[in-house]
Amino acid sequence: MKIVVLGAGIIGIATAWYLLDEGHDVIVVDRQADAALETSFANGAQISVSFCEPWANAGAPFKVAKWLLRDDSPLLFRPRLDPNQWRWGLAFLTQCTDAAFERNVEELVQLGRYSHESLKDLVARTGIEYDRLERGILHFFSSQADFDAGAAGAEIMRRHGVDRRVLGREEVLKVEPSLAAFGSRIFGGTFTPSDESGDAKVFTQKLAQLCAQRGAQFLYEHDILGLQRVADGIEAVQIAHTRSGERKSLKADAFVAAMGSYTPALVRPLGEHLNIYPAKGYSATLRLKKPEAASVVSLLDDTRKIAISRLGDHIRIAGTAELSGFDLNLDSPTAKVRCAALVRRYEELFPGVADTSEPNYWTGLRPSTPNNVPYIGRSRKARNLWLNAGHGTLGWTHGAGSGHAMAELIAGRRPDMAFGFYGA
């Protein structure tokens, strides 16, 4: 078939790759000048199959309420006159039960395992290099109460077959000796040796180049204006060049919507209502002054809810979530506070290791669902429209598997995992 993929982030490019495997003619459309220039650009760099807990849990409403007035809080909810935000928030509250948490964890673990195997196979096939480190992920705690809660969470994950190990302080420092300067304030940690890290942007752009070599057509710098419906399907997508404004209609046999937080607006005119809301995340990338003293194991700092990953001679600090619409401003007072908090925390953990004088700040919109489970499957409103969106903070973790599963579903096959595919 001729298939148009809308969106060139990790989800869209992985989908294009696996559709090429199936022998389809593929066209990828994106408004940016290259792949991975939006949410996939400078994320936390973690492939966190074993650290995939949904945000919604029994204690989440109390934490969100406590953080409401703090500009540097890990999760910041800024109420707006936006019905989509309130619909998302109310649905989020319905997921804050133990039963819903367990159900959502199971789906995320299933998708994560499938995706990790897909990624490893893809890397073996292509030889793509992207500052990959297969050192696991270490989650450390700075209070006894947080450590106790983390150990309880590890037990839940072990029930789902995840190898998450509970470590005392000395074991944490043995896994990542560079934490020694902060060691006296660490109460323990959990460690998942099978997880890894790497640069999502580099990987996605190199995979896009390989897709082009295999015959995929890329229409960069094109805005996606809307879908043209005919009978029970989609006949074409309307696009326009971002600079010239020239419009064209792309006809195809099938269409895949992989536009992250912008996917709901595209499909809403069809009567398809996806509960995806943008969660603004931040990162800071710093040049290392003392690479030999920097961490190599990817880290999760429980106190600040941030990820720290080594990318060659740089370090990436990423985290926090801000539910405030489609704002990408890095110059607002709130944004400046949140960016500065990332660098300040890194300096507390690793004093003098990185050059904090010229941080490279970034922000992106994570397409989040209330239960953190993405929409993967066929549209309920158009037979030849497929959806691959809503991956939240796990787009890099679930990218290869989501693309692989999408190609399988379009081919009429059921991917080998216990996952609730949309429209099934």
Side-chain angles (χ1 to χ4, degrees), residues 43-44 46 51 53-57 59-60 62-64 66-67 70 72-76 137-143 145-147 149-150 164 182 280-284 299-309 316-322 338 341-342 345-346 348-349 366 393:
N43 61 21
Q46 294 185 336
F51 278 107
E53 292 98 325
W55 293 348
N57 58 63
F62 305 101
K63 289 182 179 178
V64 173
K66 182 178 68 175
W67 292 333
R70 280 181 48 196
D72 64 345
S73 64
L75 178 59
L76 181 61
I137 294 178
L138 176 64
H139 188 180
F140 63 91
F141 303 90
S142 302
S143 77
D146 289 341
F147 176 47
R164 187 182 294 186
F182 193 77
K280 184 180 182 181
Y282 296 84
S283 75
L299 304 172
L300 282 169
D301 175 5
D302 189 77
T303 299
R304 300 296 181 187
K305 302 293 188 291
I306 58 174
I308 300 170
S309 295
R316 170 80 47 77
I317 312 108
T320 77
E322 186 179 326
R338 294 172 86 73
L342 295 175
R345 182 58 170 176
Y346 186 79
E348 289 175 7
L349 297 170
R366 305 183 185 107
T393 59

Side-chain angles (χ1 to χ4, degrees), residues 59 110 113 206 247 379 400 407:
Q110 288 285 328
R113 285 183 180 139
K206 288 184 177 180
R247 295 192 175 205
S379 163

Side-chain angles (χ1 to χ4, degrees), residues 264-321:
L266 177 73
V267 302
R268 196 174 295 127
L270 306 175
E272 190 92 62
H273 296 286
L274 306 182
N275 202 353
I276 297 172
Y277 196 78
K280 184 180 182 181
Y282 296 84
S283 75
T285 305
L286 311 177
R287 182 184 62 81
L288 291 170
K289 293 192 297 185
K290 300 177 182 177
E292 71 284 355
S295 54
V296 290
V297 175
S298 193
L299 304 172
L300 282 169
D301 175 5
D302 189 77
T303 299
R304 300 296 181 187
K305 302 293 188 291
I306 58 174
I308 300 170
S309 295
R310 178 76 172 266
L311 297 173
D313 58 357
H314 287 75
I315 202 79
R316 170 80 47 77
I317 312 108
T320 77

Side-chain angles (χ1 to χ4, degrees), residues 164-186:
R164 187 182 294 186
R165 305 171 187 178
V166 178
L167 310 179
R169 176 192 289 119
E170 295 308 316
E171 293 171 304
V172 167
L173 298 178
K174 187 174 181 180
V175 170
E176 184 46 82
S178 67
L179 282 167
F182 193 77
S184 62
R185 286 169 280 179
I186 292 176

Side-chain angles (χ1 to χ4, degrees), residues 144-156:
Q144 187 63 48
D146 289 341
F147 176 47
D148 292 342
E155 178 56 37
I156 292 173

